[in-house]
Amino acid sequence: MSTTMEGYEVRRFTAALRGGERVTHDVYARGEGPPVVIMQELPGIGPQTLRLADRLVEAGHRVVIPHIFGPLGRVSMVGNMVRVVCMRRYFKLFARNESSPAVDWFRALCRDVRDRAGVAGVGVIGMCLTGNFAITLIGDESVLAAVASQPAMPIVLGEELHMSAAEVEAARDHLDACGPMLAFRFAGDPGCTAGRFAAIDAALNDPEHARIRLTVLPGRGHSVLTLDFVDEAGHPTHEALESVLGYFRDKLSAP
């Protein structure tokens, strides 16, 4: 195990994709309390993601981080983009009105984490490449709370959804039962556009009922909770993280 992940437990987890292919990844975990699964963004599991994990552990959560691609402990934007393109059967970067097969693996992991912890459900955070996955996963009964930060798929097609009609309906139904989820983007983010948020809003929200709370931060950043996070009281990203921590505390705490 990399010294970067010192203090983390590691195990192998295998699950089937929708086509029947079985996929195995390492899963790292640390901390005690209600579990939160952090799905890595395109730059990888770098210091900024581990800092986010630290904040969740400090807040009383068990953090679960699947390692899907790229070097641990550092970001590798170009290298990881090449890796993800090579994983095109796993990540359908341009798919409209359907999710990536990778969602099937994450869904199985969320169920496994829930069962191992003996809790009603888990929290998930999806960012960038995996931001849309959080919206799909909230449709599963194993997920009680979800955060979609700068959801960026499908790439280029800013006003399309990376979800099937059935997945949208499942998300709406489960959000009606468990309460709204959170989503974040920067106002000037070309990767997660205003059109993307408009499409999500139209699919999930009704005028009288917000199932997903869409928050737009000022500026031209991209990674709200990691690379562009500023740990200063009053900064918009700091306020976003505080709202995430409060949201998980409210949704995942035992009654």
PDB file of all heavy atoms in Angstrom, residues 134-164:
ATOM      1  N   ALA A 134     -23.419  10.609  -8.639  1.00  0.00           N
ATOM      2  CA  ALA A 134     -24.088  10.824  -7.353  1.00  0.00           C
ATOM      3  C   ALA A 134     -25.590  10.998  -7.553  1.00  0.00           C
ATOM      4  O   ALA A 134     -26.394  10.545  -6.721  1.00  0.00           O
ATOM      5  CB  ALA A 134     -23.498  12.042  -6.650  1.00  0.00           C
ATOM      6  N   ILE A 135     -25.980  11.647  -8.650  1.00  0.00           N
ATOM      7  CA  ILE A 135     -27.405  11.864  -8.914  1.00  0.00           C
ATOM      8  C   ILE A 135     -28.080  10.540  -9.253  1.00  0.00           C
ATOM      9  O   ILE A 135     -29.222  10.282  -8.842  1.00  0.00           O
ATOM     10  CB  ILE A 135     -27.597  12.888 -10.045  1.00  0.00           C
ATOM     11  CG1 ILE A 135     -26.808  14.169  -9.751  1.00  0.00           C
ATOM     12  CG2 ILE A 135     -29.077  13.205 -10.221  1.00  0.00           C
ATOM     13  CD1 ILE A 135     -26.845  15.175 -10.879  1.00  0.00           C
ATOM     14  N   THR A 136     -27.399   9.691  -9.990  1.00  0.00           N
ATOM     15  CA  THR A 136     -27.957   8.377 -10.306  1.00  0.00           C
ATOM     16  C   THR A 136     -28.029   7.503  -9.064  1.00  0.00           C
ATOM     17  O   THR A 136     -29.043   6.832  -8.811  1.00  0.00           O
ATOM     18  CB  THR A 136     -27.105   7.677 -11.380  1.00  0.00           C
ATOM     19  OG1 THR A 136     -27.049   8.500 -12.544  1.00  0.00           O
ATOM     20  CG2 THR A 136     -27.706   6.332 -11.763  1.00  0.00           C
ATOM     21  N   LEU A 137     -26.985   7.526  -8.244  1.00  0.00           N
ATOM     22  CA  LEU A 137     -26.925   6.640  -7.084  1.00  0.00           C
ATOM     23  C   LEU A 137     -27.955   6.983  -6.017  1.00  0.00           C
ATOM     24  O   LEU A 137     -28.363   6.108  -5.250  1.00  0.00           O
ATOM     25  CB  LEU A 137     -25.522   6.663  -6.483  1.00  0.00           C
ATOM     26  CG  LEU A 137     -24.431   5.988  -7.323  1.00  0.00           C
ATOM     27  CD1 LEU A 137     -23.060   6.236  -6.714  1.00  0.00           C
ATOM     28  CD2 LEU A 137     -24.698   4.495  -7.455  1.00  0.00           C
ATOM     29  N   ILE A 138     -28.413   8.235  -5.961  1.00  0.00           N
ATOM     30  CA  ILE A 138     -29.423   8.577  -4.966  1.00  0.00           C
ATOM     31  C   ILE A 138     -30.730   7.851  -5.256  1.00  0.00           C
ATOM     32  O   ILE A 138     -31.589   7.735  -4.384  1.00  0.00           O
ATOM     33  CB  ILE A 138     -29.656  10.113  -4.897  1.00  0.00           C
ATOM     34  CG1 ILE A 138     -30.412  10.501  -3.624  1.00  0.00           C
ATOM     35  CG2 ILE A 138     -30.394  10.599  -6.132  1.00  0.00           C
ATOM     36  CD1 ILE A 138     -29.714  10.233  -2.336  1.00  0.00           C
ATOM     37  N   GLY A 139     -30.844   7.283  -6.426  1.00  0.00           N
ATOM     38  CA  GLY A 139     -32.022   6.491  -6.751  1.00  0.00           C
ATOM     39  C   GLY A 139     -32.001   5.095  -6.171  1.00  0.00           C
ATOM     40  O   GLY A 139     -32.996   4.363  -6.253  1.00  0.00           O
ATOM     41  N   ASP A 140     -30.870   4.713  -5.563  1.00  0.00           N
ATOM     42  CA  ASP A 140     -30.755   3.379  -4.966  1.00  0.00           C
ATOM     43  C   ASP A 140     -31.047   3.454  -3.475  1.00  0.00           C
ATOM     44  O   ASP A 140     -30.649   4.413  -2.797  1.00  0.00           O
ATOM     45  CB  ASP A 140     -29.343   2.818  -5.180  1.00  0.00           C
ATOM     46  CG  ASP A 140     -29.265   1.343  -4.837  1.00  0.00           C
ATOM     47  OD1 ASP A 140     -29.747   0.523  -5.642  1.00  0.00           O
ATOM     48  OD2 ASP A 140     -28.730   1.014  -3.759  1.00  0.00           O
ATOM     49  N   GLU A 141     -31.696   2.428  -2.952  1.00  0.00           N
ATOM     50  CA  GLU A 141     -32.093   2.439  -1.543  1.00  0.00           C
ATOM     51  C   GLU A 141     -30.901   2.385  -0.589  1.00  0.00           C
ATOM     52  O   GLU A 141     -31.055   2.668   0.600  1.00  0.00           O
ATOM     53  CB  GLU A 141     -33.074   1.294  -1.252  1.00  0.00           C
ATOM     54  CG  GLU A 141     -32.673  -0.063  -1.824  1.00  0.00           C
ATOM     55  CD  GLU A 141     -31.757  -0.838  -0.907  1.00  0.00           C
ATOM     56  OE1 GLU A 141     -31.813  -0.579   0.300  1.00  0.00           O
ATOM     57  OE2 GLU A 141     -31.004  -1.697  -1.405  1.00  0.00           O
ATOM     58  N   SER A 142     -29.712   2.064  -1.080  1.00  0.00           N
ATOM     59  CA  SER A 142     -28.530   2.031  -0.217  1.00  0.00           C
ATOM     60  C   SER A 142     -27.945   3.407   0.048  1.00  0.00           C
ATOM     61  O   SER A 142     -27.077   3.560   0.906  1.00  0.00           O
ATOM     62  CB  SER A 142     -27.447   1.141  -0.846  1.00  0.00           C
ATOM     63  OG  SER A 142     -26.950   1.732  -2.040  1.00  0.00           O
ATOM     64  N   VAL A 143     -28.394   4.426  -0.684  1.00  0.00           N
ATOM     65  CA  VAL A 143     -27.843   5.778  -0.582  1.00  0.00           C
ATOM     66  C   VAL A 143     -28.892   6.717   0.023  1.00  0.00           C
ATOM     67  O   VAL A 143     -29.967   6.895  -0.546  1.00  0.00           O
ATOM     68  CB  VAL A 143     -27.386   6.302  -1.957  1.00  0.00           C
ATOM     69  CG1 VAL A 143     -26.846   7.730  -1.842  1.00  0.00           C
ATOM     70  CG2 VAL A 143     -26.315   5.385  -2.545  1.00  0.00           C
ATOM     71  N   LEU A 144     -28.558   7.313   1.153  1.00  0.00           N
ATOM     72  CA  LEU A 144     -29.479   8.222   1.837  1.00  0.00           C
ATOM     73  C   LEU A 144     -29.151   9.690   1.594  1.00  0.00           C
ATOM     74  O   LEU A 144     -30.005  10.554   1.818  1.00  0.00           O
ATOM     75  CB  LEU A 144     -29.463   7.950   3.342  1.00  0.00           C
ATOM     76  CG  LEU A 144     -30.037   6.619   3.826  1.00  0.00           C
ATOM     77  CD1 LEU A 144     -29.991   6.557   5.349  1.00  0.00           C
ATOM     78  CD2 LEU A 144     -31.468   6.436   3.335  1.00  0.00           C
ATOM     79  N   ALA A 145     -27.925   9.985   1.174  1.00  0.00           N
ATOM     80  CA  ALA A 145     -27.506  11.368   0.984  1.00  0.00           C
ATOM     81  C   ALA A 145     -26.479  11.418  -0.134  1.00  0.00           C
ATOM     82  O   ALA A 145     -25.595  10.558  -0.213  1.00  0.00           O
ATOM     83  CB  ALA A 145     -26.912  11.929   2.276  1.00  0.00           C
ATOM     84  N   ALA A 146     -26.585  12.426  -0.996  1.00  0.00           N
ATOM     85  CA  ALA A 146     -25.688  12.502  -2.145  1.00  0.00           C
ATOM     86  C   ALA A 146     -25.329  13.950  -2.442  1.00  0.00           C
ATOM     87  O   ALA A 146     -26.161  14.856  -2.324  1.00  0.00           O
ATOM     88  CB  ALA A 146     -26.331  11.865  -3.375  1.00  0.00           C
ATOM     89  N   VAL A 147     -24.066  14.145  -2.848  1.00  0.00           N
ATOM     90  CA  VAL A 147     -23.559  15.458  -3.233  1.00  0.00           C
ATOM     91  C   VAL A 147     -22.951  15.325  -4.622  1.00  0.00           C
ATOM     92  O   VAL A 147     -22.053  14.497  -4.841  1.00  0.00           O
ATOM     93  CB  VAL A 147     -22.495  15.967  -2.244  1.00  0.00           C
ATOM     94  CG1 VAL A 147     -21.886  17.278  -2.741  1.00  0.00           C
ATOM     95  CG2 VAL A 147     -23.094  16.147  -0.857  1.00  0.00           C
ATOM     96  N   ALA A 148     -23.437  16.137  -5.565  1.00  0.00           N
ATOM     97  CA  ALA A 148     -22.900  16.166  -6.926  1.00  0.00           C
ATOM     98  C   ALA A 148     -22.144  17.477  -7.096  1.00  0.00           C
ATOM     99  O   ALA A 148     -22.758  18.543  -7.174  1.00  0.00           O
ATOM    100  CB  ALA A 148     -24.021  16.054  -7.954  1.00  0.00           C
ATOM    101  N   SER A 149     -20.816  17.407  -7.120  1.00  0.00           N
ATOM    102  CA  SER A 149     -20.001  18.601  -7.277  1.00  0.00           C
ATOM    103  C   SER A 149     -19.491  18.677  -8.706  1.00  0.00           C
ATOM    104  O   SER A 149     -18.914  17.709  -9.213  1.00  0.00           O
ATOM    105  CB  SER A 149     -18.828  18.567  -6.283  1.00  0.00           C
ATOM    106  OG  SER A 149     -18.191  19.820  -6.218  1.00  0.00           O
ATOM    107  N   GLN A 150     -19.747  19.802  -9.345  1.00  0.00           N
ATOM    108  CA  GLN A 150     -19.391  20.071 -10.748  1.00  0.00           C
ATOM    109  C   GLN A 150     -19.603  18.866 -11.658  1.00  0.00           C
ATOM    110  O   GLN A 150     -18.692  18.410 -12.345  1.00  0.00           O
ATOM    111  CB  GLN A 150     -17.967  20.625 -10.878  1.00  0.00           C
ATOM    112  CG  GLN A 150     -16.775  19.709 -10.650  1.00  0.00           C
ATOM    113  CD  GLN A 150     -16.324  19.614  -9.221  1.00  0.00           C
ATOM    114  OE1 GLN A 150     -16.891  20.219  -8.330  1.00  0.00           O
ATOM    115  NE2 GLN A 150     -15.262  18.841  -8.977  1.00  0.00           N
ATOM    116  N   PRO A 151     -20.842  18.308 -11.728  1.00  0.00           N
ATOM    117  CA  PRO A 151     -21.090  17.163 -12.618  1.00  0.00           C
ATOM    118  C   PRO A 151     -20.793  17.530 -14.069  1.00  0.00           C
ATOM    119  O   PRO A 151     -21.374  18.470 -14.609  1.00  0.00           O
ATOM    120  CB  PRO A 151     -22.575  16.862 -12.393  1.00  0.00           C
ATOM    121  CG  PRO A 151     -23.162  18.140 -11.861  1.00  0.00           C
ATOM    122  CD  PRO A 151     -22.070  18.775 -11.063  1.00  0.00           C
ATOM    123  N   ALA A 152     -19.877  16.804 -14.704  1.00  0.00           N
ATOM    124  CA  ALA A 152     -19.326  17.236 -15.994  1.00  0.00           C
ATOM    125  C   ALA A 152     -19.635  16.305 -17.164  1.00  0.00           C
ATOM    126  O   ALA A 152     -19.115  16.513 -18.254  1.00  0.00           O
ATOM    127  CB  ALA A 152     -17.810  17.384 -15.864  1.00  0.00           C
ATOM    128  N   MET A 153     -20.445  15.291 -16.953  1.00  0.00           N
ATOM    129  CA  MET A 153     -20.765  14.406 -18.076  1.00  0.00           C
ATOM    130  C   MET A 153     -22.232  14.541 -18.446  1.00  0.00           C
ATOM    131  O   MET A 153     -23.069  14.787 -17.581  1.00  0.00           O
ATOM    132  CB  MET A 153     -20.430  12.953 -17.709  1.00  0.00           C
ATOM    133  CG  MET A 153     -18.931  12.685 -17.695  1.00  0.00           C
ATOM    134  SD  MET A 153     -18.475  11.029 -18.256  1.00  0.00           S
ATOM    135  CE  MET A 153     -19.041  10.019 -16.902  1.00  0.00           C
ATOM    136  N   PRO A 154     -22.558  14.354 -19.732  1.00  0.00           N
ATOM    137  CA  PRO A 154     -21.634  14.041 -20.830  1.00  0.00           C
ATOM    138  C   PRO A 154     -20.763  15.233 -21.198  1.00  0.00           C
ATOM    139  O   PRO A 154     -21.195  16.375 -21.111  1.00  0.00           O
ATOM    140  CB  PRO A 154     -22.564  13.658 -21.978  1.00  0.00           C
ATOM    141  CG  PRO A 154     -23.839  14.376 -21.677  1.00  0.00           C
ATOM    142  CD  PRO A 154     -23.957  14.409 -20.188  1.00  0.00           C
ATOM    143  N   ILE A 155     -19.533  14.936 -21.601  1.00  0.00           N
ATOM    144  CA  ILE A 155     -18.602  15.982 -21.982  1.00  0.00           C
ATOM    145  C   ILE A 155     -19.113  16.693 -23.231  1.00  0.00           C
ATOM    146  O   ILE A 155     -19.652  16.080 -24.139  1.00  0.00           O
ATOM    147  CB  ILE A 155     -17.203  15.380 -22.225  1.00  0.00           C
ATOM    148  CG1 ILE A 155     -16.634  14.871 -20.896  1.00  0.00           C
ATOM    149  CG2 ILE A 155     -16.253  16.397 -22.842  1.00  0.00           C
ATOM    150  CD1 ILE A 155     -15.305  14.174 -21.025  1.00  0.00           C
ATOM    151  N   VAL A 156     -18.968  17.994 -23.268  1.00  0.00           N
ATOM    152  CA  VAL A 156     -19.327  18.883 -24.380  1.00  0.00           C
ATOM    153  C   VAL A 156     -20.821  19.185 -24.399  1.00  0.00           C
ATOM    154  O   VAL A 156     -21.237  20.332 -24.483  1.00  0.00           O
ATOM    155  CB  VAL A 156     -18.876  18.320 -25.757  1.00  0.00           C
ATOM    156  CG1 VAL A 156     -19.294  19.261 -26.874  1.00  0.00           C
ATOM    157  CG2 VAL A 156     -17.369  18.116 -25.781  1.00  0.00           C
ATOM    158  N   LEU A 157     -21.656  18.159 -24.304  1.00  0.00           N
ATOM    159  CA  LEU A 157     -23.101  18.350 -24.441  1.00  0.00           C
ATOM    160  C   LEU A 157     -23.658  18.881 -23.123  1.00  0.00           C
ATOM    161  O   LEU A 157     -24.196  18.151 -22.312  1.00  0.00           O
ATOM    162  CB  LEU A 157     -23.763  17.028 -24.843  1.00  0.00           C
ATOM    163  CG  LEU A 157     -23.181  16.420 -26.127  1.00  0.00           C
ATOM    164  CD1 LEU A 157     -23.611  14.979 -26.289  1.00  0.00           C
ATOM    165  CD2 LEU A 157     -23.611  17.233 -27.329  1.00  0.00           C
ATOM    166  N   GLY A 158     -23.526  20.195 -22.943  1.00  0.00           N
ATOM    167  CA  GLY A 158     -23.792  20.804 -21.651  1.00  0.00           C
ATOM    168  C   GLY A 158     -25.225  20.765 -21.185  1.00  0.00           C
ATOM    169  O   GLY A 158     -25.501  20.951 -20.009  1.00  0.00           O
ATOM    170  N   GLU A 159     -26.188  20.562 -22.078  1.00  0.00           N
ATOM    171  CA  GLU A 159     -27.586  20.589 -21.678  1.00  0.00           C
ATOM    172  C   GLU A 159     -28.213  19.205 -21.692  1.00  0.00           C
ATOM    173  O   GLU A 159     -29.437  19.067 -21.708  1.00  0.00           O
ATOM    174  CB  GLU A 159     -28.367  21.553 -22.576  1.00  0.00           C
ATOM    175  CG  GLU A 159     -27.873  22.993 -22.462  1.00  0.00           C
ATOM    176  CD  GLU A 159     -28.709  23.977 -23.245  1.00  0.00           C
ATOM    177  OE1 GLU A 159     -29.758  23.558 -23.782  1.00  0.00           O
ATOM    178  OE2 GLU A 159     -28.320  25.150 -23.316  1.00  0.00           O
ATOM    179  N   GLU A 160     -27.396  18.184 -21.696  1.00  0.00           N
ATOM    180  CA  GLU A 160     -27.892  16.815 -21.696  1.00  0.00           C
ATOM    181  C   GLU A 160     -27.651  16.178 -20.330  1.00  0.00           C
ATOM    182  O   GLU A 160     -26.825  16.631 -19.549  1.00  0.00           O
ATOM    183  CB  GLU A 160     -27.178  15.985 -22.777  1.00  0.00           C
ATOM    184  CG  GLU A 160     -27.291  16.559 -24.178  1.00  0.00           C
ATOM    185  CD  GLU A 160     -28.666  16.381 -24.770  1.00  0.00           C
ATOM    186  OE1 GLU A 160     -29.459  15.600 -24.203  1.00  0.00           O
ATOM    187  OE2 GLU A 160     -28.951  17.008 -25.807  1.00  0.00           O
ATOM    188  N   LEU A 161     -28.376  15.094 -20.074  1.00  0.00           N
ATOM    189  CA  LEU A 161     -28.214  14.353 -18.825  1.00  0.00           C
ATOM    190  C   LEU A 161     -27.443  13.065 -19.067  1.00  0.00           C
ATOM    191  O   LEU A 161     -27.594  12.432 -20.120  1.00  0.00           O
ATOM    192  CB  LEU A 161     -29.578  14.013 -18.214  1.00  0.00           C
ATOM    193  CG  LEU A 161     -30.366  15.163 -17.594  1.00  0.00           C
ATOM    194  CD1 LEU A 161     -31.666  14.625 -17.017  1.00  0.00           C
ATOM    195  CD2 LEU A 161     -29.563  15.866 -16.514  1.00  0.00           C
ATOM    196  N   HIS A 162     -26.654  12.666 -18.093  1.00  0.00           N
ATOM    197  CA  HIS A 162     -25.925  11.403 -18.141  1.00  0.00           C
ATOM    198  C   HIS A 162     -26.692  10.369 -17.311  1.00  0.00           C
ATOM    199  O   HIS A 162     -26.138   9.686 -16.463  1.00  0.00           O
ATOM    200  CB  HIS A 162     -24.510  11.599 -17.597  1.00  0.00           C
ATOM    201  CG  HIS A 162     -23.549  10.497 -17.932  1.00  0.00           C
ATOM    202  ND1 HIS A 162     -23.191  10.173 -19.222  1.00  0.00           N
ATOM    203  CD2 HIS A 162     -22.862   9.631 -17.139  1.00  0.00           C
ATOM    204  CE1 HIS A 162     -22.336   9.177 -19.205  1.00  0.00           C
ATOM    205  NE2 HIS A 162     -22.124   8.810 -17.955  1.00  0.00           N
ATOM    206  N   MET A 163     -27.994  10.278 -17.586  1.00  0.00           N
ATOM    207  CA  MET A 163     -28.899   9.378 -16.864  1.00  0.00           C
ATOM    208  C   MET A 163     -30.002   8.946 -17.804  1.00  0.00           C
ATOM    209  O   MET A 163     -30.433   9.709 -18.664  1.00  0.00           O
ATOM    210  CB  MET A 163     -29.546  10.090 -15.662  1.00  0.00           C
ATOM    211  CG  MET A 163     -28.610  10.614 -14.619  1.00  0.00           C
ATOM    212  SD  MET A 163     -29.492  11.639 -13.391  1.00  0.00           S
ATOM    213  CE  MET A 163     -30.528  10.403 -12.579  1.00  0.00           C
ATOM    214  N   SER A 164     -30.466   7.721 -17.610  1.00  0.00           N
ATOM    215  CA  SER A 164     -31.620   7.264 -18.370  1.00  0.00           C
ATOM    216  C   SER A 164     -32.898   7.804 -17.751  1.00  0.00           C
ATOM    217  O   SER A 164     -32.910   8.280 -16.604  1.00  0.00           O
ATOM    218  CB  SER A 164     -31.668   5.732 -18.387  1.00  0.00           C
ATOM    219  OG  SER A 164     -31.967   5.241 -17.088  1.00  0.00           O
TER     220      SER A 164
END
